[in-house]
Amino acid sequence: MDFMLDEELIDLLTFCLQTPDSAEVPSKKARITEIGKELFADGGGDALENMFFALKNRITEEIGKDPSPLKSLWNGMTPRSEEHTSELQSHWYISYA
């Protein structure tokens, strides 16, 4: 991922976490979604997970807030669908074991 997009994503996530009531939040969240789509197109789901892991660690260290609630914007999944996907993956692993 381009370094500038990486920094932009950190800025966007940090803004949303620090100023959740700002009128600018919807446009920032839309941009987070766009960047997530770009990253997925470039590297797939693994790229999304790897990048989010790094971003989460950096943001948590820098501002003391967990960006996980915003992950659904980034990867195009709702928290509910993430649970469902995880549940399905568990069933797949069990069935192939």
Side-chain angles (χ1 to χ4, degrees):
M1 177 177 221
D2 183 271
F3 176 74
M4 297 299 287
L5 285 180
D6 180 37
E7 289 300 314
E8 181 184 3
L9 191 54
I10 288 169
D11 290 345
L12 292 166
L13 290 166
T14 299
F15 182 89
C16 291
L17 290 167
Q18 291 182 319
T19 56
D21 298 326
S22 171
E24 294 179 50
V25 167
S27 65
K28 305 278 187 193
K29 287 182 174 181
R31 181 63 182 139
I32 291 169
T33 301
E34 289 173 14
I35 293 172
K37 288 178 182 178
E38 289 178 38
L39 181 59
F40 183 80
D42 287 345
D46 288 342
L48 287 174
E49 289 301 316
N50 291 338
M51 182 60 72
F52 191 80
F53 177 78
L55 294 174
K56 179 180 177 180
N57 288 334
R58 181 168 165 191
I59 291 169
T60 302
E61 286 178 15
E62 289 181 5
I63 67 169
K65 294 189 178 195
D66 182 0
S68 293
L70 299 171
K71 187 176 180 182
S72 63
L73 297 170
W74 147 274
N75 67 9
M77 297 177 76
T78 65
R80 172 84 176 122
S81 63
E82 284 183 18
E83 287 176 19
H84 183 69
T85 299
S86 178
E87 185 178 309
L88 286 174
Q89 287 172 340
S90 294
H91 290 297
W92 294 333
Y93 295 138
I94 291 169
S95 66
Y96 287 110

